[in-house]
């Protein structure tokens, strides 16, 4: 009986061992010297410890990494976990390079990935033309010192030879913006424009824009953006024949953008200032329907304009206490904030938008109820000063 139990334990342990999958993958083809290519290590279980190979000892230069991604898929109650750790490397010379095993510890056991040979060779398809592109990270005001809370518009733009076509692209990493608040705008089908760069005419396309809302002062350097692009070049058209083309995949990195962030004017900062930067208007909208005692109704606070809508604290509704201290005849049931933003490229100070806080109230008594004026302060870059707006007093007639 003990032998039978021991056999079950051994079979079960072997089953668990077989469940771990750990592999090394290089998807790039036609890799030439000094081309960037991705080396991915893929696991189907969380690891306690992960150690990549020493790329330098393998004759490879580590450009960027690691990048980490996790994907979980459930089909028919069966869940598959895919954990990927990626590294961007390059080889300076042609030849055969062996990617040694990475190691990972899972449930106390150490596992190794497969080794993989990568061929680096000079290839006719990889001409100077296919290397005539640049991925550039640009901030909207260059070396300007941004105010604290002033939105920073960061664009990732690719310039490429007019004889090329960007067939598709994929982001390889998510840059770290020093934990500052950000809002991203992706361009699935970027439009091409004629533009001069480094004294030469190129096509250019914006791949991504990021609005950064700084909340501290100092000099910051952000990570490069890594992108895989598939470049297409059409061959010379021959009459009577279908036009052919060549495609090659490249990994490209942007420069590391730097910004300086200065403090706002500390003098004369209003008590009601909560981080607003731009030009705004504010109003309180009361309900048009008849208001009934003990029946919920909505009051809206609307802030419109051009500025850092993700960078300030939305003001609260001012309720008037009743005669009994800390008691309110008007009670807040719930609040909800929505934002209706327009095309951010038309903005001077962040985004053009209208942000609305909907406050659901209920009155416990009949008669007139007062909503006191609200103060909203912001820094106006056009006047280089703080401004304070004040809403009108709202009178509610409760039946």
């Amino acid at each position: 009986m003990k032998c039978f139990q021991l056999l079950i334990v051994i079979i079960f342990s072997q089953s668990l061992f077989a469940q771990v999958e750990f592999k090394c993958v290089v998807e790039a083809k036609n890799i030439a010297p000094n081309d960037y290519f991705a080396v991915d290590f893929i696991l189907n279980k969380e690891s306690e410890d992960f150690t990549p190979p020493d790329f330098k000892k393998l004759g490879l230069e580590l450009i960027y990494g690691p990048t980490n991604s996790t994907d979980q898929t459930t089909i028919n109650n069966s869940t598959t976990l895919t954990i990927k750790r990626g590294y961007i490397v390059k080889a300076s010379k042609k030849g055969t390079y062996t990617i040694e095993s990475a190691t990972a510890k899972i449930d106390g056991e150490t596992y190794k990935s497969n080794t993989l040979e990568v061929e680096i060779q000079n290839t006719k398809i990889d001409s100077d033309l296919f290397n005539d592109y640049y991925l550039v990270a640009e901030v909207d005001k260059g070396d300007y010192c941004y105010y604290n809370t002033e939105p920073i518009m960061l664009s990732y733009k690719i310039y490429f030879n007019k004889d090329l076509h960007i067939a598709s692209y994929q982001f390889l990493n998510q840059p770290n913006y020093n934990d500052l608040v950000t809002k991203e705008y992706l361009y699935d089908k970027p439009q091409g424009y004629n533009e001069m760069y480094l004294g030469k005419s190129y096509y250019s396309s914006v791949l991504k824009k990021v609005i950064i809302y700084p909340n501290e002062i100092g000099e910051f350097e952000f990570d490069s953006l890594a992108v895989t692009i598939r470049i297409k070049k059409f061959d010379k058209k021959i009459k009577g024949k279908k036009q052919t083309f060549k495609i090659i995949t490249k990994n490209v990195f942007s420069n590391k953008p730097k910004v300086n962030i200065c403090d706002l004017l500390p003098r004369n900062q209003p008590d009601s200032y909560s981080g607003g930067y731009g030009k705004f208007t504010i109003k309180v909208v009361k309900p048009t329907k008849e208001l009934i005692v003990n029946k919920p109704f909505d009051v809206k606070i609307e802030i419109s304009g051009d500025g850092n809508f993700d960078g300030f604290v939305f003001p609260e509704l001012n309720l008037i206490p009743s005669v009994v201290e800390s008691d309110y005849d008007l009670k807040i049931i719930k609040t909800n904030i929505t934002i209706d933003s327009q095309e951010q490229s038309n903005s001077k100070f962040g985004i053009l938008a209208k942000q609305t806080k909907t406050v659901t109230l209920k009155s416990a008594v009949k008669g007139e109820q007062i909503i006191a004026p609200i103060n909203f302060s912001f820094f106006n870059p056009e006047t280089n000063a703080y401004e304070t707006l004040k809403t009108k007093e709202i009178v509610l007639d409760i039946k």
Side-chain angles (χ1 to χ4, degrees), residues 77-194:
N77 295 323
S78 177
T79 300
T80 301
L81 183 66
T82 302
I83 300 171
K84 181 189 291 186
R85 290 178 174 87
Y87 299 84
I88 303 296
V89 299
K90 76 171 184 177
S92 60
K93 301 177 181 179
K94 67 178 182 178
T96 301
Y97 294 78
T98 301
I99 309 296
E100 299 290 349
S101 299
T103 60
K105 187 175 287 187
I106 301 173
D107 298 328
E109 295 285 340
T110 299
Y111 295 86
K112 288 186 175 183
S113 67
N114 57 297
T115 60
L116 192 66
E117 289 191 347
V118 177
E119 189 73 23
I120 308 297
Q121 55 188 344
N122 290 324
T123 171
K124 291 181 180 179
I125 196 171
D126 199 334
S127 63
D128 291 340
L129 178 63
F130 277 96
N131 289 309
D132 196 7
Y133 56 83
Y134 302 89
L135 180 61
V136 181
E138 301 174 334
V139 291
D140 56 335
K141 296 183 181 179
D143 294 332
Y144 166 86
C145 194
Y146 292 84
Y147 282 128
N148 186 13
T149 75
E150 176 182 1
I152 301 168
M153 304 292 291
L154 174 59
S155 299
Y156 294 97
K157 184 185 294 185
I158 190 163
Y159 297 88
F160 53 95
N161 190 290
K162 292 185 176 182
D163 291 328
L164 301 177
H165 173 72
I166 306 298
S168 63
Y169 65 91
Q170 180 181 3
F171 298 118
L172 293 176
N173 70 330
Q174 177 60 44
N176 177 17
Y177 299 106
N178 300 84
D179 299 322
L180 301 178
V181 177
T182 61
K183 189 176 185 66
E184 292 193 353
Y185 295 85
L186 303 180
Y187 294 79
D188 294 332
K189 295 180 179 179
Q191 293 181 325
Y193 300 93
N194 286 312

Side-chain angles (χ1 to χ4, degrees), residues 302-337:
E302 295 180 353
I303 296 178
S304 302
D306 181 357
N308 63 336
F309 278 88
D310 289 316
F312 61 78
V313 178
F314 210 97
E316 299 292 337
L317 200 64
N318 287 336
L319 303 182
I320 304 296
S322 63
V323 176
V324 182
E325 186 177 359
S326 299
D327 186 23
Y328 292 81
D329 293 334
L330 273 178
K331 295 184 181 295
I332 295 176
I333 307 301
K334 64 178 181 179
T335 61
N336 180 49
I337 296 179

Side-chain angles (χ1 to χ4, degrees), residues 315-364:
E316 299 292 337
L317 200 64
N318 287 336
L319 303 182
I320 304 296
S322 63
V323 176
V324 182
E325 186 177 359
S326 299
D327 186 23
Y328 292 81
D329 293 334
L330 273 178
K331 295 184 181 295
I332 295 176
I333 307 301
K334 64 178 181 179
T335 61
N336 180 49
I337 296 179
T338 58
I339 184 167
D340 177 21
S341 62
Q342 302 171 35
E343 176 56 48
Q344 105 284 347
S345 62
N346 297 324
S347 166
K348 291 173 63 179
F349 311 121
I351 58 174
L352 295 168
K354 179 175 76 172
Q355 195 167 24
T356 303
K357 174 184 275 190
T358 301
V359 184
T360 302
L361 300 167
K362 186 170 69 173
S363 176

Side-chain angles (χ1 to χ4, degrees), residues 62-68 86-88 253:
L62 177 62
I63 304 299
Y64 191 87
T67 59
N68 299 291
Y87 299 84
I88 303 296
F253 286 78

Side-chain angles (χ1 to χ4, degrees), residues 255-312:
N255 54 302
K256 293 184 176 181
K258 294 181 180 181
V259 295
N260 286 316
I261 300 170
C262 305
D263 200 0
L264 280 173
L265 299 173
R267 60 183 183 275
N268 302 324
Q269 189 176 95
D271 293 337
S272 57
Y273 178 72
S274 63
Y277 180 97
K279 292 181 67 175
F280 303 97
T281 62
I282 183 173
K283 66 178 179 179
V284 177
V285 181
K286 67 178 183 180
T288 56
K289 66 179 182 180
E290 186 178 55
L291 306 181
I292 308 299
V293 67
N294 288 321
K295 188 173 181 179
F297 59 90
D298 292 339
V299 172
K300 297 181 177 181
I301 308 171
E302 295 180 353
I303 296 178
S304 302
D306 181 357
N308 63 336
F309 278 88
D310 289 316
F312 61 78

